[in-house]
């Protein structure tokens, strides 16, 4: 698996690699940052920024004009 460290499009920090309990890397691409930004984000930005925005949009709050 590619061991390159990608950069979060939201905070500009490193995107951590996802690992099994045994420490084996199984995912290096981060999380989908939409609708906050285009690209990939780190786990912290996904939990603290992206998911809350998606939740608000699911209730029609702050939804983008299509």
């Amino acid at each position: 698996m590619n061991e390159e460290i990608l950069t979060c499009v939201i905070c500009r920090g490193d995107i951590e690699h996802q690992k099994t309990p045994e420490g084996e890397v199984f995912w290096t691409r981060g999380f989908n940052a939409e609708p906050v930004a285009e690209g990939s984000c780190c786990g912290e930005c996904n939990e603290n920024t992206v998911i809350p925005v998606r939740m608000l949009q699911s209730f029609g709050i702050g939804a983008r004009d299509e």
Side-chain angles (χ1 to χ4, degrees):
M1 176 144 303
N2 184 0
E3 296 293 327
E4 175 185 6
I5 304 292
L6 300 178
T7 301
C8 174
V9 298
I10 298 171
C11 73
R12 308 312 280 166
D14 291 345
I15 293 177
E16 67 280 354
H17 293 170
Q18 301 295 307
K19 298 179 182 180
T20 65
E22 295 77 27
E24 182 180 342
V25 174
F26 67 89
W27 186 252
T28 62
R29 309 294 299 170
F31 297 87
N32 179 356
E34 292 284 345
V36 176
E38 188 175 318
S40 296
C41 66
C42 66
E44 187 170 334
C45 287
N46 186 57
E47 290 180 28
N48 297 323
T49 305
V50 176
I51 291 174
V53 168
R54 288 181 183 160
M55 294 292 290
L56 289 171
Q57 287 185 347
S58 73
F59 293 108
I61 302 169
R64 287 189 198 175
D65 293 329
E66 298 292 330

